[in-house]
Amino acid sequence: IGSVDSNPFVSGINTSPTVGKMLRSGGASWARTMLGLTDNMDFSTTNYIAMKVYTEAPVGTVLKLKVESTTSAAANEKDVMTTVSGDWAYYFWDFTGDPPIYE
């Protein structure tokens, strides 16, 4: 489930009033939340995706991010491990070496 909600934990690194909420509600571990973009992702100048994440999952839980191109069929997924539980943290998914443009 993906939505925009009021920030329930306005503190630390994320004091914004709203947040994107992604919740896996009992589905398969690979169940997805999809985010449609209006512009292409261009990895030729910045080859990573950064996100502030709040989770109560145990430290060491995998956060998977997959990018796909609708026209070239390019796809790749990267994992990071949670480093905190019950707080916000920055996470970076490095797509160095991927196609420069995802459409």
Side-chain angles (χ1 to χ4, degrees):
I1 300 167
S3 61
V4 176
D5 287 337
S6 296
N7 185 347
F9 302 101
V10 179
S11 64
I13 64 171
N14 193 350
T15 58
S16 62
T18 58
V19 294
K21 181 178 181 180
M22 297 179 195
L23 177 64
R24 184 174 52 116
S25 56
S29 61
W30 49 263
R32 69 179 190 204
T33 295
M34 188 177 227
L35 176 64
L37 304 176
T38 56
D39 293 319
N40 294 339
M41 291 176 35
D42 184 351
F43 288 132
S44 65
T45 56
T46 302
N47 52 9
Y48 64 88
I49 296 173
M51 192 180 311
K52 296 174 191 174
V53 175
Y54 180 91
T55 183
E56 294 180 353
V59 170
T61 298
V62 173
L63 299 175
K64 184 177 297 289
L65 183 65
K66 182 175 184 178
V67 294
E68 296 179 347
S69 175
T70 56
T71 59
S72 71
N76 200 353
E77 54 189 46
K78 302 290 182 175
D79 295 339
V80 296
M81 306 296 261
T82 57
T83 56
V84 299
S85 180
D87 204 355
W88 290 101
Y90 279 109
Y91 295 101
F92 297 84
W93 291 264
D94 185 354
F95 287 89
T96 300
D98 271 32
I101 304 290
Y102 277 89
E103 297 128 349

